[in-house]
Every structure is written in structure tokens, then in C-alpha cells.
Amino acid sequence: MSALAPSRRGFLGAALAAIPGAYLLSFTTPAVGKAGSDVLVTHFLQITPADEIILTSPVAEIGQGTSTAYAMLVGDALDADWSRIRIELAPVGEEYNNPRFFSQLTGSSTGTSSFHQAFTKAGATARTMLLQAAARRWHVDSAAVTTDNGVVIGPQAEQRLRYGELAAIAARLPEPKALIERTDTRPRYATKRMIRLDLPQKVDGSAQFAIDLRMPGMLSAAVVTAPVFGGALASDRRAEVLKMPGVQGVVDLPGGLAVVADRWWTARRALETLEPVWAATPHDKADDAAIRAQFDRALATPGVVAEEVRGKGMAGLRDAEKVFTQRYAVPYLAHTTMEPMACVAKVQGGTCDFWMGSQQPQKARDTIASLLGLPKEAVTYHPLIAGGGFGRRQETDVVEQTVRIARAFPGRPIKLIWTREEDVRHDFYRPAGVSELSAGVRGRTIETYVHKQATPSILPRMYPAAMKTYDEVVTDAIQSPYGFPNRETRWVRSETHVPTGMWRSVGASHTVFAIESFVDEVAHEIGADPVEIRRGLLRNAPRELAALNRVVEISGWPGTGGGSAMGLAISHKRDDCLTAQVAQVAIRDGRLAVEQLWTVSNPGKVINRDAVVAQLEGAAIWGLTAALYGRVTIAGGAVQESNFHDYRMVRLADAPIFHTEVQESGDMEGVGEGGAPNVAPAVCNAIFRLTGKRIRTLPILEQFA
């Protein structure tokens, strides 16, 4: 652990102690099951004699607000005083593994669904131990005491003790075999409108991101990487750069190099003087046209079955009165997190410390240990909040670069910040791909559904043990919620030199665009109403049908008139919420405008309703950005976009008016991604109803002029 950690923790603790519900970022490992301590510890939870209730969040805080949901769950089960609750982010430890993946992973919208039972149990366990401690102190039966808002109350009027006053006694008790549940089961916090615990510091600017972190003796680094993936450095002008004031060194990296200076802007300007020359690669002629042609050729091959075949599968096409076939294409997409990739690392002697917000800290720790030839125990992770993740912070590339640089400056903290240009041009992108769909129709019924998708893979590189004969990440939601009597889905693996990775909604952003666009196309061809054809296909799916009916109702479907039109889509992404959406579009002053978006989602159970709505609407903006503008262009083997001027985002003036409802039924599911996949097909279907033009290749604005 860095010698700086205790003093910095002390500074933060002193600064935040007076702030109710402050978001405390700890650099120390919580003492789990520490015998003889005055701190009451249960899994993920500590109660101190100072009356602090400290929760350890096993997931990264990347803007999603999961930790506040944990606090609400614990607050209810513990009957806690909300103003006493603090959050710290977990260090590396197997006890923080996501049970869904058996690793310390933040992803797939599983933060709340994977851990809600554990946090509820932690709160109930602590409450039981506090009741038992009070009973011992007052020499009464534990059934004679109760709790209220952070206070244990005995049978006598004067018997009132705050949790912190009982922490030392409770800490010495064995874990209870049976829990004493609250008699009042009404939630004190869950389902209520609670302000997220991380927001105050983000608003006042005191929140610590890796990009903000400062330490004594720190040096800053900026990197440049070969424009063509896999390229290597041929030459540069480092002799001149090393003479520049403030420059401390130039460090070679795999496929690139870094300038280290006393200030980041000095390092950044020095890169412009460096003028690196890159060696030729086998991919220097690769471009979008060649990649699309490769995918189209791949679709001519059988591929492998994705999920199971239903009924006759594709053989059902032979029995159809009519067969409709169409192709839909999507491009590579970047993440463009608001905080570019950043990390701080210090290598000293036989240890390494690193500071960042990571969606896979265990993997980052192990990567560093391997790189430096150190035991894993010699590498310490100091978790920070991060400015967006979307799967990008599951990667370890920025960690590896930072540690390689820090190794060249032993004992000095090194902060690496990527420029936005580096961030856009050296991402792990949402795969591009092409889907071919066929429908066998009899009358006004789709009897056979065949979907073949050609894309690069993700799982073999990131999580090879999870790879089946097909990649279930890039094929996510390919089956759709519809009850087609005959169904067959296939995937063709078609790799390119462009690196691919997790991306908010990943494969569902491919498959749902294709499916929901295609269902509308077929409905139009056979003269069926797009809502009625979906209702027929969902007659055995009550949750989906209820969401569809509700979104139709609240949107006033079909809502034509006034120069606008509506389109709809529905999907159920794996591990995420069922979502139905209606988009209203119009042409205003010659420009396409997405004016309103109605969303009805069913995530099973809801803890923090405000956070659920925020995630659904944030995901919708994410999906709308991808639908309207999103495209990573490959030419000469390299990404052509570089910053927000040519990799556009939906801005406030372009955002639609949102109407969002949440239904509840069944087990808890995620909400972080489910609002994204439907947006593109809903908008495209609305465009067709408005203009008669079909959009089958994204982004929309390149096809719609």
C-alpha cells in the first residue's frame, strides 16, 4: 500500500465526516470478521463506535448509482439512520466476486440483481446482533427490544442506545443462526425517492476520479499508439523531445510510446514534436467496404446454431406461402466515456499500487503482477469512482501502459491520461456486423423466423471459458421474445483486425435493430398492423404483452398527424429488463427530429425507482446516439474519427421528451442496458411511417438526407 494512502484517507474522512450520506472512498480493506474489534462487521457492512454505518460496494461506481441501492437495502433491513450511511468501494478480494460470474466483475447490469439478497442479509444480521447486544446489556430477552431509525429501544423508557454505542458488544457475538426480522415490513427507503449518495461530491467537484488524482512527486504521461491496430514504431524524434523543459523521459510501449513530464500538458505538447513514424502492417489497406464485403461473404456460409432450434427451424421456409428476406448492417462503435482512460500507478521495490475505477480490478491486479513478475499480494488496488464504464473499463490496456511507464520511474507516482483522440482511435469497439433475416409467412402470420448474423467475436479474447460454439454476447437477444412456431438462429464468426469488446447493450444493439425493423417490414408487406402482429406473436408471453399494450396506450399510438409519426419496438435482453418503446419523429426545418420517446420497462423488482428511470433514459440516449450518428470509420486500416466533432453525441437540444413507466413482476433483473436496443428500430420504423423510406444500415443520418 502506498505511504500516501493513510494520510489521504484521513483527509477525506475528516472532510466528509460531517456530511450526511457522504460518499466515502476508502483506500483500506474492510476488516471482514475481525475478532475482538470494536467494529461490528458483517458481509459488506461495518458499524463503528462512532455510529458510522460503512457499506463496501463490490461493484465499481461508474455513474450507475448501484451503491445507493445497496444502502437502501441495508437501511431497510438494519432499520438504519440514512444520514449515518457511508459507502466505500471494494479492494480486490474473492469475497467481492459477482456470484453471477464468479469473478470481481461489474457488468451485464447485474450489480443490484446479483447482490441485493446479500446486502439485505448483511443488514438483517447486523440488526439481530445489535438487538442481542442490547439485550445482554439490559439483561432482558432479545424479544423485548426493537429498533427505530438507528436506535435500539428497550422495554424501559430510558433504554435507548444508538447502534454505535452497541457496536463493540455486538462485534464479540457469534453470527446469529436465526435472524430477528423487523415486525414493520414497510420499506423505510426502498422504492422511495432517495438522493444518490455519490451525487453531492460530483456536483461540488470534490469527487475523486483518476483523472483528478494528485500526489507529491507525481509525474504525468501522455501516449501515442500506432494508428493501425497492431502497428509498431519505426522511428521518432525523441532526442529533441528529451531536451524540452519539463520532459522527464520517453518510454517505449507495445505498439506505441509515452512522454513523461512534470505536467500533463507538457507531455501532450511534446507528443506533437515527437513525430513518430510507424512501420507498415498487413492491414494498411483495410476499410469499411472490405469489411462489409467480408461479412456478406460470411453470410453465405452455414455458421453455427445460436440457442436452440424451434419446430422445423429454417426448413419451415419451404412450407411458407411467401418468404421475405432482408439484411441489416451496423458499424463499429466507440465508448467515449466522459472520463477518458486514466490510471495512476507507483512501482517501488517489490510492490505496485494503482488507482483507478476498474470494472475488473482482479484482472487488472493479476495483469500487473504478471507484467512485473510480482506475487499478486504485492499489488494493491485503490478504487476510485470513474466517469462512465459501459464495458470499456473491463479492459486492462491503460493499466498495462501506466505500469510499464511507472516501472521506468521507480518510486514516483505516474498518472497516465489518454487524449480523447487516443480514446476514440484505440478503443475495444462494439463489433460491426450484418444480419440476414428471413420470414416464412402464411396469410398474415409469420410461421418461420430465421436469423443469421455475421460479426467478430468478443468472448474468446475476454472470457474464453464462457465461449460456447457461438458467442452469446454478440448474439444476445437474437431469438427475440416472439413465439414463432419455427425458429432458427445462426452466427457466423468473421474476425477483422479491429479490436472488439463489451459495449452497453452489445449484441442486442445488433439483433434487436434487425428483428424489430424486419417485423415491421413484414407486417407492411402482408398488410398487417405492426402492433397486432406483435400481439399475436406475444400471446404466450404475458409480461411482454403487458408492456407492449401499456406503451401503446400511453403513447396514443399510432399518433400520426402534425407532421410526425410513431414507430415501436420491444425486446428482452439477457440479464436485463424487458422494454417496450415508442418513438415519435418529425421533419422540422428540413431536419429529422426525434421528439418524444415512451418507454415501459419491467425489471422484475425495483429498489431505487429514480435510478431505474435514470438508467432507462440514459440508455435510451445512448441508443439514440448510436442510431443517429454512431459510426467508427475504417480507412487505411485506421479509425478516422477522433473527437466529438466527428464522433457525434446526442446533446440536450437533440434529446426527446421522455415518458417512462416501470412495471414490476418476477425476479429482479438489470436496467443498465435494456433501454438502448429498441431505440434504433423504433426510430427507423417511425421514419418509414413518416416518409416511406426504410433504414437498414446505421447510422440513420448517413442514410437519411
Side-chain angles (χ1 to χ4, degrees), residues 416-437:
L416 172 62
I417 303 173
W418 281 19
T419 62
R420 181 61 69 188
E421 289 75 14
E422 190 76 12
D423 186 60
V424 172
R425 289 175 171 167
H426 292 91
D427 203 344
F428 288 86
Y429 302 92
R430 194 285 307 269
V434 179
S435 287
E436 181 177 88
L437 282 73

Side-chain angles (χ1 to χ4, degrees), residues 378-562:
V379 181
T380 303
Y381 170 55
H382 303 285
L384 301 174
I385 56 177
F390 316 120
R392 181 62 177 90
R393 298 186 198 275
Q394 292 184 32
E395 305 291 347
T396 62
D397 51 340
V398 68
V399 178
E400 295 179 54
Q401 287 185 341
T402 309
V403 170
R404 288 178 187 275
I405 299 165
R407 183 171 56 183
F409 294 86
R412 302 286 298 270
I414 301 293
K415 177 162 67 173
L416 172 62
I417 303 173
W418 281 19
T419 62
R420 181 61 69 188
E421 289 75 14
E422 190 76 12
D423 186 60
V424 172
R425 289 175 171 167
H426 292 91
D427 203 344
F428 288 86
Y429 302 92
R430 194 285 307 269
V434 179
S435 287
E436 181 177 88
L437 282 73
S438 296
V441 175
R442 182 173 298 278
R444 292 191 175 185
T445 302
I446 301 176
E447 294 186 337
T448 302
Y449 162 74
V450 178
H451 189 155
K452 186 186 288 186
Q453 180 192 32
T455 70
S457 65
I458 294 175
L459 283 179
R461 177 186 68 84
M462 292 192 72
Y463 306 106
M467 181 67 181
K468 303 177 182 179
T469 55
Y470 64 98
D471 189 327
E472 67 178 12
V473 171
V474 296
T475 61
D476 193 5
I478 196 170
Q479 285 197 315
S480 85
Y482 298 128
F484 301 109
N486 305 300
R487 178 176 66 193
E488 186 164 335
T489 56
R490 288 182 167 266
W491 175 64
V492 185
R493 183 174 177 177
S494 185
E495 304 290 1
T496 73
H497 76 296
V498 181
T500 56
M502 300 299 180
W503 186 90
R504 190 177 192 178
S505 78
V506 213
S509 63
H510 282 238
T511 58
V512 174
F513 166 59
I515 296 164
E516 291 301 288
S517 297
F518 186 59
V519 168
D520 255 48
E521 287 209 49
V522 174
H524 177 74
E525 292 294 332
I526 63 178
D529 179 82
V531 171
E532 292 308 316
I533 198 169
R534 286 175 169 85
R535 282 174 173 156
L537 292 168
L538 295 173
R539 58 184 174 272
N540 295 319
R543 285 181 68 198
E544 285 80 357
L545 186 58
L548 174 66
N549 287 337
R550 182 58 180 160
V551 81
V552 166
E553 178 185 359
I554 66 174
S555 65
W557 176 274
T560 53

Side-chain angles (χ1 to χ4, degrees), residues 59-78:
V59 305
E61 266 297 345
I62 47 181
Q64 81 280 35
T66 305
S67 297
T68 301
Y70 296 156
M72 296 167 77
L73 290 164
V74 167
D76 279 345
L78 181 58

Side-chain angles (χ1 to χ4, degrees), residues 168-438:
I169 301 174
R172 288 162 174 79
L173 298 177
E175 182 173 339
K177 294 181 180 179
L179 301 181
I180 304 173
E181 304 287 350
R182 290 176 55 201
T183 55
D184 183 358
T185 58
R186 291 173 299 179
R188 183 183 290 276
Y189 305 114
T191 73
K192 305 294 177 62
R193 300 178 67 92
M194 303 299 295
I195 296 175
R196 275 174 43 178
L197 297 180
D198 57 326
L199 290 186
Q201 288 179 273
K202 290 180 177 178
V203 171
D204 67 22
S206 62
Q208 285 286 310
F209 299 81
I211 200 171
D212 301 317
L213 195 59
R214 287 174 172 79
M215 295 181 178
M218 176 182 285
L219 298 175
S220 295
V223 301
V224 61
T225 311
V228 179
F229 307 109
L233 182 69
S235 65
D236 59 51
R237 297 175 59 187
R238 71 180 62 190
E240 296 177 35
V241 167
L242 290 171
K243 297 176 184 178
M244 296 176 64
V247 172
Q248 303 294 313
V250 175
V251 179
D252 288 301
L253 301 170
L257 70 169
V259 175
V260 182
D262 53 4
R263 297 172 63 240
W264 187 80
W265 279 108
T266 301
R268 174 70 182 88
R269 286 195 298 269
L271 285 179
E272 299 172 0
T273 304
L274 199 58
E275 296 183 8
V277 176
W278 307 100
T281 81
H283 308 297
D284 289 349
K285 294 184 179 180
D287 61 16
D288 286 340
I291 292 171
R292 171 63 193 262
Q294 174 184 317
F295 293 152
D296 284 337
R297 290 193 301 272
L299 286 174
T301 66
V304 295
V305 172
E307 307 292 347
E308 82 280 359
V309 175
R310 177 186 293 169
K312 298 179 181 178
M314 67 172 61
L317 294 176
R318 293 195 293 265
D319 302 327
E321 290 179 350
K322 294 181 180 179
V323 175
F324 298 95
T325 299
Q326 195 52 258
R327 288 187 178 184
Y328 303 86
V330 297
Y332 290 103
L333 293 175
H335 293 82
T336 53
T337 58
M338 288 298 99
E339 180 193 15
M341 295 300 100
C343 179
V344 176
K346 183 172 74 169
V347 177
Q348 186 170 23
T351 65
C352 178
D353 290 73
F354 70 107
W355 293 259
M356 66 182 303
S358 173
Q359 292 180 254
Q360 275 235 87
Q362 192 176 62
K363 182 178 180 181
R365 188 269 318 262
D366 294 352
T367 298
I368 292 171
S370 177
L371 180 63
L372 297 177
L374 296 175
K376 295 175 182 178
E377 296 74 21
V379 181
T380 303
Y381 170 55
H382 303 285
L384 301 174
I385 56 177
F390 316 120
R392 181 62 177 90
R393 298 186 198 275
Q394 292 184 32
E395 305 291 347
T396 62
D397 51 340
V398 68
V399 178
E400 295 179 54
Q401 287 185 341
T402 309
V403 170
R404 288 178 187 275
I405 299 165
R407 183 171 56 183
F409 294 86
R412 302 286 298 270
I414 301 293
K415 177 162 67 173
L416 172 62
I417 303 173
W418 281 19
T419 62
R420 181 61 69 188
E421 289 75 14
E422 190 76 12
D423 186 60
V424 172
R425 289 175 171 167
H426 292 91
D427 203 344
F428 288 86
Y429 302 92
R430 194 285 307 269
V434 179
S435 287
E436 181 177 88
L437 282 73
S438 296

Side-chain angles (χ1 to χ4, degrees), residues 23 134 153 176 271 275 286 301-302 330 338-339 558 571 585 615 622 665 684 699 705:
Y23 196 90
I153 303 169
L271 285 179
E275 296 183 8
T301 66
V330 297
M338 288 298 99
E339 180 193 15
S571 66
V585 306
Q615 284 291 290
W622 175 268
S665 65
C684 289

Side-chain angles (χ1 to χ4, degrees), residues 114-134:
S114 290
F115 290 102
H116 72 283
Q117 292 177 335
F119 275 95
T120 297
K121 183 179 179 181
T125 300
R127 179 177 179 274
T128 300
M129 295 171 76
L130 290 166
L131 290 171
Q132 292 173 342

Side-chain angles (χ1 to χ4, degrees), residues 641-658:
E641 289 74 22
S642 62
N643 210 314
F644 292 126
H645 71 287
D646 57 5
Y647 194 79
R648 292 179 61 187
M649 315 291 285
V650 168
R651 303 188 181 187
L652 187 60
D654 305 314
I657 297 171
F658 289 99

